[in-house]
Amino acid sequence: MDPSQNTVASMGVSGGNGVINPQNDVTTSQDDPKQDLNQVINSIQKTLGLLHQLYLNVSSFNTGLQLPLLQRINSLVLELDNMAKLSEKCNIQVPVEVLNLIDDGKNPDGFTKDVINSCIAKNQITKGKTDAFKGLRRHLLEELDQAFPDEADSFRDIRAASAAEAKRLAQAQSSLPNGDVKVKAEP
């Protein structure tokens, strides 16, 4: 390849009509993860467009179209490099199961559905255990009432005072001086 073509190709990306468009600078730092993700998505879409243009050039190739074909190949390489640099800023973790489903030609929404169904099943099991403990507590209090009525009343008074104190402490820790409630930020 001619060195002058290398310089032109390294300055930007070839447009659809052979015009060189300036390439986005990847070295600028963005703190917003959504911005980084959007840049990667845009780069993927641009790469798909370049692949389509390259397909059109290859499918109707003749020797007169060699230079535009080389420009499109260089544009594709530059965009793939740009995509790799942009993707380094994104920290996205995709479960292996999702990738396996995609490889098998299945819809990855099935994985999401399975995870949600699993969470619902675990939630129902936990709710059943909670209900069982509530029933046990109720039964023990009834037995305590029958065997030791004075101590059961004393226990209820102590339990009510303890619950009120715990509630007061929880509200004091989570409220601001102006009366608003603090909300824990997710890490």
Side-chain angles (χ1 to χ4, degrees):
M1 182 178 204
D2 185 2
S4 64
Q5 290 174 345
N6 256 349
T7 342
V8 172
S10 65
M11 290 172 27
V13 177
S14 172
N17 58 1
V19 177
I20 304 294
N21 297 329
Q23 187 176 8
N24 294 339
D25 184 19
V26 192
T27 58
T28 59
S29 64
Q30 301 287 335
D31 291 336
D32 186 18
K34 284 191 175 187
Q35 177 83 20
D36 294 340
L37 182 60
N38 285 337
Q39 288 178 342
V40 171
I41 289 170
N42 290 338
S43 180
I44 290 170
Q45 291 173 345
K46 196 173 194 179
T47 301
L48 290 173
L50 288 169
L51 284 169
H52 179 69
Q53 291 174 358
L54 193 59
Y55 167 75
L56 294 175
N57 276 29
V58 169
S59 63
S60 63
F61 181 75
N62 65 39
T63 54
L65 297 175
Q66 186 172 359
L67 182 60
L69 178 64
L70 291 175
Q71 288 175 337
R72 290 230 164 72
I73 290 173
N74 286 334
S75 299
L76 179 63
V77 169
L78 288 171
E79 192 56 42
L80 289 172
D81 183 50
N82 183 31
M83 186 189 317
K85 289 177 184 174
L86 288 172
S87 67
E88 290 173 358
K89 294 192 264 180
C90 293
N91 184 16
I92 297 175
Q93 297 176 358
V94 178
V96 176
E97 294 88 355
V98 172
L99 298 176
N100 291 338
L101 283 173
I102 293 170
D103 285 344
D104 294 341
K106 297 178 182 172
N107 189 348
D109 290 343
F111 174 76
T112 306
K113 181 181 174 185
D114 292 342
V115 168
I116 290 174
N117 287 338
S118 172
C119 288
I120 290 171
K122 288 178 183 177
N123 186 28
Q124 289 173 344
I125 291 169
T126 304
K127 185 180 182 314
K129 289 178 182 178
T130 303
D131 290 344
F133 277 113
K134 285 180 183 176
L136 175 64
R137 181 178 181 271
R138 187 173 47 252
H139 178 69
L140 289 175
L141 283 175
E142 289 171 1
E143 293 289 324
L144 184 65
D145 262 342
Q146 290 175 0
F148 306 102
D150 293 337
E151 286 81 2
D153 289 337
S154 175
F155 170 76
R156 283 193 180 92
D157 292 341
I158 292 170
R159 179 71 178 113
S162 174
E165 179 65 18
K167 184 176 180 181
R168 186 189 64 75
L169 284 174
Q171 287 176 342
Q173 290 176 351
S174 66
S175 65
L176 298 171
N178 65 358
D180 290 345
V181 176
K182 291 180 189 175
V183 178
K184 289 183 180 178
E186 292 184 26

